[in-house]
Amino acid sequence: MELIDILGYFGALVIGITLGLIGGGGSILTVPVLVYLLSINPVTATAYSLFVVGASSLVGAINNMKKKLVDLRTATVFAIPAFIAVYGTRKYLVPAIPDHIFTLRGFEVTKDIGIMLFFAIIMVVASISMIKGNGKEELQEVKVKYNYPLIILEGVVVGILTGIVGAGGGFLIIPALVLLAKLPMKKAVATSLLIIAVKSLIGFIGDVENLEIDWIFLMIFTGMSIAGIFLGGYLNKFIDGGKLKKSFGWFVLVMGIYIIGKELL
């Protein structure tokens, strides 16, 4: 095993630790680790990311369900349009993107470059959300209300974004659950993990039919990420998650800008 492979698997561990420490955000590093450290093409990397994100989120969701923090009705209302959208995106939309998208002043934007640029933009948006967040997760009992049309629309949008870039989309789902379903923050965070798990794994099914999957590699990488979640959960007892989230947000912002520069230059 070469050094770059070891760094790639270490990256999987870091992804899991981040998820365990701050409850989200780590999955947005999965695609850069797979593409830039392990030299996997972006389309396959986003597919692998869906599996890693889905499996890792499922571990967190099961843990939250034991604590009775997951609102199953809200998860169902949001997840159905989301997983239909993400499955359709991976099954039909991503394969339909042409290898050559357009040329601007002699610079050719290919399918791989387009996906990475779009992913980098999502990273920048997510980083701003993490940097601005106040880190408070108060658990207050309020009556859950549903704005069904907006929840369905948000689910479709999140599903399409997840399908294209392979990230969990928690930075979009959590605000939607708080604003549209009136969930308290802790329940919104916990419920989002179940939604992310379901839509990511179902989206990955759309890839199984289109791509050749290296299952041994994928299982090892995912196993490292899940191990990181448990380690992050332990470290969470000693580290301020709110401050860490802001620091991680700045790191993601730098990574997003780096990817934009790398793909354009």
Side-chain angles (χ1 to χ4, degrees), residues 64-84:
N64 285 324
M65 289 174 74
K66 292 177 181 178
K67 298 177 182 177
K68 301 186 184 300
L69 288 174
V70 176
D71 189 307
L72 291 176
R73 181 185 173 191
T74 302
T76 302
V77 171
F78 196 99
I80 290 175
F83 74 63
I84 292 174

Side-chain angles (χ1 to χ4, degrees), residues 115-133:
I115 288 175
M116 292 309 297
L117 287 176
F118 185 68
F119 183 84
I121 292 170
I122 296 298
M123 287 184 77
V124 171
V125 173
S127 69
I128 293 171
S129 175
M130 285 184 275
I131 292 167
K132 286 186 174 181

